[in-house]
């Protein structure tokens, strides 16, 4: 058995979005536009956008924040709220946002 | 619209596993045991294990390698093959491994 | 004694610059301007600019590339050459660029 | 001029050590031994040891913590204090530890 511990302070998020048909590029552009300001949040450790090599309509953010409070503050930002309430309904067929704690081996 | 480009050289992988009932801790231990040797692979950029805060049986590796070749070499290692063929069938109810390219904003 | 190995494929660089008096902000701006294009280089893993909390004129890039070849290609870019040959002489009093290999514990 | 901001919450540290003649490997081993426990500190974002390709006796930690408080807590750990007070005098000819704030472009 391996020896490990869990970092319950920092917060990891994997946020996956499947674009509606024909909307993948617009979705990538909309999500990429969120990156510069998010990286300037003092609690942001990582905020990386990725496109799937297996599902041409799928994109995923890999995120890490210094704490749940920093993540919650991020989620409350006007640009993020605008994305979820106004942009996502136009561009996204389905999505799944899940938060994690890192296991340190 | 945001300005972005895609890093088609490096490879990102999100590998998710849902443990069978009662097997979460054994799964975390089995996956954590893969971390030290993987991080010593010269093509490994990131190999981080995480436990879900929403599904108590779910764990996810967030991975990045310098190239698809480096990722393929990783996947062919004896310890990884042993995990997929011998360990995973005992411990995992379902899994999803997906590869991505990072979008650089 | 600890057990470790050295990643001789990837390349780490710490590039330190001390601004001439009154030139710190101009130096930070000049270096920050190099970040977006460098991060789009497919061999770039990390390219982070930092300002010292101990010497108000000192800044340092912490860099990682997938290989020495990728680092050399980065160094040959027109914007980097322009910085070293045209911008740095105006703004920098002294500098030290050093490359490293990561020790994986 | 580039547009940038400074992350004054997180803390970056570059800690450089030059080994006494013949002590480089013992120094790398002593520093590598600090890595596993440090990475388990909840405030640790990055703690990477590197060996110089230009000075065979030089090693450098590249570190990032969620806050100055987390960094100070790290520095107060028994293993770190033991390194600075008991191990370093035996193995190190000179050293320079400097803290930074990241510039977000």
């Amino acid at each position: 058995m391996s020896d490990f511990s869990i970092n319950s302070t920092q917060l990891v998020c994997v946020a996956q979005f499947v674009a509606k048909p024909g909307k993948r590029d617009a979705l990538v552009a909309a999500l990429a536009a969120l990156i510069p300001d998010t990286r300037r949040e003092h609690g942001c450790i990582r905020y990386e956008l990725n496109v799937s090599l297996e599902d041409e309509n799928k994109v995923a953010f890999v995120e890490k924040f210094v704490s749940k409070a920093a993540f919650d503050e991020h989620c409350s930002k006007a640009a993020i709220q605008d994305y979820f309430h106004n942009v996502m309904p136009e561009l996204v067929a389905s999505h799944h946002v899940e938060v994690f704690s890192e296991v340190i081996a």
Side-chain angles (χ1 to χ4, degrees), chain A:
Chain A
M1 296 286 276
S2 169
D3 185 23
F4 64 89
S5 65
I6 290 178
N7 189 324
S8 54
T9 299
Q10 296 177 32
L11 189 134
V12 170
C13 178
V14 178
Q16 302 185 76
F17 305 95
V18 178
K20 292 179 181 176
K23 300 292 191 186
R24 207 289 300 257
D25 288 357
L27 176 61
V28 171
L31 293 172
L34 301 174
I35 294 176
D37 281 350
T38 300
R39 288 201 175 146
R40 288 164 187 237
E41 295 174 23
H42 288 194
C44 178
I45 295 172
R46 177 186 297 160
Y47 194 69
E48 296 178 356
L49 181 61
N50 306 278
V51 290
S52 174
L53 296 174
E54 301 175 36
D55 176 343
E56 65 176 0
N57 289 318
K58 192 171 183 179
V59 304
F61 266 122
V62 169
E63 312 178 8
K64 192 185 282 188
F65 287 82
V66 299
S67 65
K68 183 178 185 304
F71 177 72
D72 289 345
E73 183 182 339
H74 162 69
C75 293
S76 73
K77 295 284 185 186
I80 304 301
Q81 289 294 310
D82 179 63
Y83 167 74
F84 276 103
H85 292 115
N86 301 317
V87 178
M88 196 173 81
E90 294 292 321
L91 301 179
V92 170
S94 68
H95 73 286
H96 181 70
V97 177
E98 188 161 357
V99 290
F100 298 83
S101 290
E102 188 177 353
V103 177
I104 310 296

